[in-house]
Amino acid sequence: MDTILQFKNLNYHYQNNNKKITILDNVNFEFQAGHFYTILGPSGSGKTTTLSLASGLDIPSSGNVLYKGTDLRKIGLVTYRNQHVSIIFQSYNLITYMTALQNVVTAMEITGVDVKDKKGRALELLEKVGLTKGEAKRKVLQLSGGQQQRVAIARALSCNVDLLIADEPTGNLDQETSMEIIELFKELAHKENKCIIVVTHSQEVAKQSDKAVYLEKRNLVIKE
Amino acid sequence: MNFIKRAFLSVQARKGKSLILFVVFLVVSNLVLAGFAMQNVTETASDLARKKLGVDVTLGLDGEKFQKYVQKQRNENPNERIHRPELSTEEADKLAESPYVKDFNYLKDSQGVADGYTPINDDKEGDMAGGSVGGSQGNMKMPNTFIHGVRSSDLLKEFTDETNKMIEGRPITSEDKDKKVALVEKQLAEDNNLQVGDELKIKTTDESSTLEIEIIGIYETSTMDSNMETAPPLFHPSNKVYVSYGSLKDLSENKDMKDTSIDQAIYYLNDPHHIDDFKVEGKKIGIDFDLFKLDAHDALYKKMIGPIENMALTSKWIIYLVSITGSIILGLIIMLTIKERRKELGILLAIGEKKGKLIGQLLVEVLCIAALAFSLSIFTGGTVSQTMGDSLLQKEVTAYEEQENNVEVPTFMFGMNGDQGKDVDPIDHIDVGVTSQDVLKLGGLGLIIAILSTILPALSILRLNPKDILLKDE
């Protein structure tokens, strides 16, 4: 199996009032392609830090985050975010003055995806996540929470990356929409061989994942 | 280049913010354009003033300096007669050789007593006619003839503006320098049956010498009015006799000097733009500039152009002030915009957009709005400039006139009126037109303002961290 992302001897700590606070302590973990992971843990356990490190928004205090065997620092965080990973946020984080379609096309333009008909591809992806053409051409604030999250997923998919990291993607959604989103993630992992990592509080979502990873004692532990 | 597309989308979507920026840019560009246009006017007005005043520069006594000189002489030698300093033609000729000089004239004024003919109004003077001056000595005759020595009568203002017209004979020219020739007025000639070719005699007031001159021309003056009927003969225009300046040497106190002395030399230049260069050249010649001055109607020029120069100075300050405050206001608006759009910037950074392109996006947005405002100001700038120009100029003219009214009128002295009786009003109306050069200047300055007011606040983008924006804010 292909290892997409690897945490190697990973440590993360910060100073608070001259006191060293350790969040992650010597973490060694591998995320494989074609799997849907969930990362669970109580508040303050380091879920957001793990997500930041995996998505190239932060760097570890020591140790390495390796993408397909290469340290992120060597790839460069901006290049890594631009070319290899897509992030889906709990609050969607779409550009509000754009339509759903423009949000997806903008991401494709920034990442330089090699697609001639970017608009056509974006419409295709939006349709895939369940948006109609009419909805695709609406300003994102005119869409429901579930539709906005679908746009965020379509945006993440449009960048044509192997690794999708989501932070509480169903946190603001109703049960039915949440399940639809989770089904979409499973499909992406199993049919398109993508590695999906979802940070969540929800045991329901964890049950749907291939591997539920728990943050315990500042380390990542798999509970099958 | 997708950041340019994003910039256009953003400008369209944020109509309110874009409108505020547009209004600020429009105000700044209109005021700056008006400032540039008003500065240009100074140059045009200067040319206009020079054209109106002529291209003549007068070398003559400096009234103020001469008064101080007289005062000083009186204090030092109270009993001695003060001699009026005179220019020698040798000094004046040197200046006439300047390449800037197209033509020149020499003037020397004197007074005398008619001998063998009767000046106009001389018989109406009663007791004064043929009277004497000089206190108890009583050996000085009352002058009744104003003698105007010239090098060329045609160059005199009264002949160029046709107040005086030659009706017979010929004018006095430079060829007549050493000849004893004269022009007399028609009325004087008729009353005394004088004709071209006749001899005219004028005595000095002390009757020590007599000027015998040949009449070569008769002129007619149009300066007559009803007051002239009672005017003393000396001041009656018909009694004015024009002679070659060389003729007056016989009446001079310094008749033994090699050169002829004159009161003024007037130089007519090729081009009004050469006036300052000519003055610089004049200073190098050995003329006593402690008493004399080269005057290009400087007082009149200042009177005409003064308010406009003040207006130009004000407009210069307007440009500085508007540019600086405009940049600060725009900078603050953009700073607030960046703060407001922090999340959008964080999202784009999380997708992997470069910070440089984010700054580029903001710059394109601002430049796009600025370009629209600048374009509109090309049409509105003319009206704004004219309104501002009229208002500022009116204030300056009023201030100038008040200042003028408070200044004491200097005492008139013979031979010291460098303006040859000219007077002008200050320029109180100007056409403030916006030129393509003004628009180009505005474009340059506007670009600098737009770039500075965007780049400086946008530098804060370099410190943005998408993790802090997107994860901690949630």
Side-chain angles (χ1 to χ4, degrees):
Chain A
M1 255 196 266
D2 297 332
T3 299
I4 294 282
L5 192 72
Q6 184 184 358
F7 290 163
K8 195 174 170 186
N9 304 323
L10 192 75
N11 292 290
Y12 190 92
H13 53 78
Y14 64 90
Q15 296 286 333
N16 188 9
N17 295 331
N18 291 329
K19 197 178 165 191
K20 185 180 170 185
I21 312 283
T22 301
I23 306 295
L24 296 173
D25 185 16
N26 199 30
V27 177
N28 285 284
F29 198 89
E30 289 182 6
F31 296 94
Q32 311 289 337
H35 281 72
F36 170 28
Y37 295 89
T38 46
I39 296 175
L40 297 103
S43 294
S45 60
K47 292 194 298 295
T48 301
T49 302
T50 308
L51 180 137
S52 305
L53 293 169
S55 57
L57 292 172
D58 206 351
I59 50 166
S61 305
S62 66
N64 310 88
V65 179
L66 307 170
Y67 173 78
K68 292 186 177 174
T70 310
D71 193 286
L72 295 196
R73 275 175 281 217
K74 201 173 172 188
I75 296 170
L77 294 186
V78 175
T79 309
Y80 174 67
R81 291 202 301 266
N82 191 290
Q83 299 293 314
H84 305 298
V85 67
S86 282
I87 316 162
I88 299 160
F89 298 93
Q90 182 179 1
S91 54
Y92 330 125
N93 284 340
L94 298 170
I95 298 172
T96 51
Y97 59 81
M98 292 182 184
T99 63
L101 182 65
Q102 284 167 340
N103 264 279
V104 179
V105 172
T106 295
M108 289 166 85
E109 285 174 343
I110 289 173
T111 53
V113 175
D114 191 17
V115 175
K116 272 189 182 173
D117 181 16
K118 291 189 172 69
K119 205 172 162 184
R121 171 74 179 146
L123 278 171
E124 202 179 286
L125 288 168
L126 285 165
E127 206 175 340
K128 186 178 177 179
V129 296
L131 261 77
T132 63
K133 270 190 183 170
E135 288 163 342
K137 286 175 182 171
R138 278 194 216 154
K139 288 272 163 66
V140 289
L141 290 179
Q142 292 170 341
L143 300 173
S144 69
Q147 285 171 323
Q148 287 187 52
Q149 193 58 292
R150 285 167 205 269
V151 176
I153 294 167
R155 182 178 67 183
L157 293 175
S158 71
C159 302
N160 210 13
V161 292
D162 300 324
L163 180 59
L164 256 73
I165 298 172
D167 181 23
E168 297 275 12
T170 57
N172 293 335
L173 305 179
D174 59 59
Q175 183 72 19
E176 194 185 338
T177 314
S178 297
M179 282 306 121
E180 282 173 20
I181 299 285
I182 296 304
E183 281 306 315
L184 190 62
F185 283 149
K186 281 162 77 174
E187 196 183 310
L188 288 170
H190 302 149
K191 288 187 181 166
E192 296 189 21
N193 200 34
K194 298 203 184 289
C195 175
I196 313 287
I197 303 170
V198 173
V199 173
T200 184
H201 277 108
S202 166
Q203 286 297 334
E204 285 302 311
V205 176
K207 276 179 199 164
Q208 299 291 322
S209 65
D210 298 326
K211 287 182 180 175
V213 185
Y214 287 81
L215 266 162
E216 280 182 3
K217 296 176 184 173
R218 298 181 286 278
N219 215 322
L220 290 174
V221 180
I222 291 182
K223 288 187 179 173
E224 297 288 347
Chain B
M1 296 298 278
N2 65 85
F3 70 92
I4 296 175
K5 202 169 116 191
R6 276 202 317 265
F8 285 119
L9 281 174
S10 170
V11 170
Q12 281 173 3
R14 300 165 196 280
K15 288 190 179 73
K17 289 273 156 49
S18 301
L19 192 68
I20 292 172
L21 273 181
F22 177 79
V23 169
V24 175
F25 268 119
L26 190 64
V27 171
V28 168
S29 53
N30 269 303
L31 292 176
V32 169
L33 197 58
F36 283 137
M38 282 190 281
Q39 281 196 312
N40 277 357
V41 163
T42 323
E43 211 175 302
T44 319
S46 169
D47 283 351
L48 188 80
R50 281 292 173 213
K51 268 184 204 157
K52 198 166 180 179
L53 294 171
V55 284
D56 51 303
V57 181
T58 303
L59 174 63
L61 261 185
D62 184 322
E64 277 180 37
K65 287 176 181 170
F66 180 60
Q67 277 183 341
K68 282 179 192 166
Y69 167 80
V70 169
Q71 197 61 46
K72 194 181 164 196
Q73 292 294 317
R74 274 184 191 150
N75 293 341
E76 285 174 4
N77 307 299
N79 299 322
E80 266 188 42
R81 190 179 164 198
I82 298 163
H83 292 278
R84 190 165 173 272
E86 289 178 320
L87 278 169
S88 85
T89 49
E90 189 187 14
E91 291 167 330
D93 283 344
K94 279 186 202 166
L95 206 49
E97 286 165 15
S98 164
Y100 302 123
V101 176
K102 191 168 73 180
D103 208 344
F104 62 101
N105 205 359
Y106 293 151
L107 306 180
K108 182 168 172 63
D109 292 339
S110 191
Q111 299 156 39
V113 182
D115 184 9
Y117 71 98
T118 313
I120 311 295
N121 286 359
D122 201 40
D123 49 349
K124 292 179 189 169
E125 289 246 299
D127 293 342
M128 288 299 287
S132 61
V133 290
S136 59
Q137 293 176 352
N139 54 356
M140 299 281 275
K141 285 273 186 183
M142 180 70 76
N144 55 16
T145 303
F146 187 81
I147 313 165
H148 198 47
V150 298
R151 180 177 176 271
S152 170
S153 59
D154 274 353
L155 292 174
L156 293 172
K157 186 179 173 285
E158 55 263 42
F159 282 94
T160 55
D161 68 10
E162 296 190 333
T163 309
N164 291 351
K165 282 181 195 164
M166 288 297 298
I167 55 166
E168 211 181 323
R170 65 171 182 87
I172 297 169
T173 66
S174 56
E175 304 292 317
D176 300 317
K177 182 184 141 191
D178 298 318
K179 294 176 190 166
K180 289 178 180 170
V181 292
L183 305 179
V184 293
E185 210 276 326
K186 182 187 165 193
Q187 195 187 342
L188 182 76
E190 283 174 359
D191 286 9
N192 289 281
N193 200 23
L194 296 171
Q195 289 179 358
V196 172
D198 288 354
E199 193 177 69
L200 197 72
K201 285 184 186 174
I202 304 169
K203 289 187 289 188
T204 53
T205 51
D206 60 0
E207 298 188 297
S208 61
S209 50
T210 304
L211 179 64
E212 293 176 10
I213 40 179
E214 183 196 347
I215 299 170
I216 58 162
I218 295 172
Y219 70 93
E220 185 177 12
T221 186
S222 58
T223 52
M224 300 292 188
D225 59 42
S226 55
N227 296 333
M228 289 302 151
E229 287 175 17
T230 55
L234 182 65
F235 299 110
H236 196 288
S238 292
N239 292 334
K240 194 182 212 180
V241 177
Y242 292 94
V243 301
S244 62
Y245 72 96
S247 312
L248 288 172
K249 195 173 176 183
D250 287 351
L251 300 181
S252 170
E253 293 165 6
N254 307 318
K255 63 177 80 167
D256 298 330
M257 70 186 272
K258 189 182 159 196
D259 299 301
T260 312
S261 64
I262 52 172
D263 296 329
Q264 289 181 342
I266 302 171
Y267 300 95
Y268 301 89
L269 308 191
N270 304 314
D271 191 321
H273 294 111
H274 292 152
I275 286 174
D276 290 334
D277 293 334
F278 177 71
K279 281 184 174 181
V280 171
E281 201 170 278
K283 301 268 166 159
K284 292 175 190 163
I285 295 168
I287 295 164
D288 182 7
F289 281 105
D290 286 338
L291 285 170
F292 293 94
K293 70 171 178 180
L294 276 166
D295 182 59
H297 308 288
D298 293 342
L300 291 180
Y301 178 76
K302 188 77 195 155
K303 187 177 174 185
M304 280 183 87
I305 206 81
I308 286 187
E309 279 180 341
N310 287 344
M311 186 197 75
L313 192 70
T314 312
S315 64
K316 197 175 172 182
W317 280 106
I318 288 174
I319 294 173
Y320 288 145
L321 212 71
V322 170
S323 304
I324 293 168
T325 47
S327 302
I328 292 170
I329 293 169
L330 288 167
L332 288 172
I333 294 173
I334 292 162
M335 197 185 278
L336 287 173
T337 308
I338 291 171
K339 210 171 176 186
E340 208 174 75
R341 293 171 67 177
R342 208 166 158 260
K343 190 158 184 181
E344 175 198 336
L345 299 172
I347 294 166
L348 293 168
L349 285 172
I351 297 172
E353 184 61 300
K354 291 182 178 76
K355 288 176 177 174
K357 284 191 176 177
L358 294 183
I359 295 175
Q361 181 187 336
L362 277 175
L363 196 59
V364 172
E365 286 177 22
V366 174
L367 286 177
C368 180
I369 295 166
L372 281 174
F374 292 157
S375 307
L376 184 63
S377 71
I378 294 170
F379 301 102
T380 56
T383 315
V384 174
S385 305
Q386 189 64 55
T387 313
M388 269 179 75
D390 286 347
S391 162
L392 274 175
L393 189 59
Q394 211 45 55
K395 276 184 191 167
E396 291 297 341
V397 169
T398 311
Y400 189 86
E401 281 169 353
E402 279 171 11
Q403 191 189 335
E404 283 282 286
N405 292 339
N406 293 334
V407 174
E408 274 183 46
V409 181
T411 320
F412 175 78
M413 299 180 83
F414 273 111
M416 291 199 331
N417 181 12
D419 294 322
Q420 295 184 71
K422 281 185 187 176
D423 195 15
V424 289
D425 290 324
I427 298 174
D428 58 0
H429 179 78
I430 43 160
D431 287 324
V432 189
V434 175
T435 64
S436 54
Q437 214 180 353
D438 298 331
V439 176
L440 275 178
K441 277 191 210 166
L442 171 72
L445 185 66
L447 194 68
I448 293 170
I449 291 175
I451 290 174
L452 279 180
S453 57
T454 309
I455 294 287
L456 292 178
L459 288 176
S460 63
I461 289 175
L462 297 176
R463 287 187 283 116
L464 288 183
N465 182 349
K467 180 193 156 191
D468 296 336
I469 300 167
L470 302 177
L471 296 176
K472 287 188 180 171
D473 285 357
E474 282 188 5

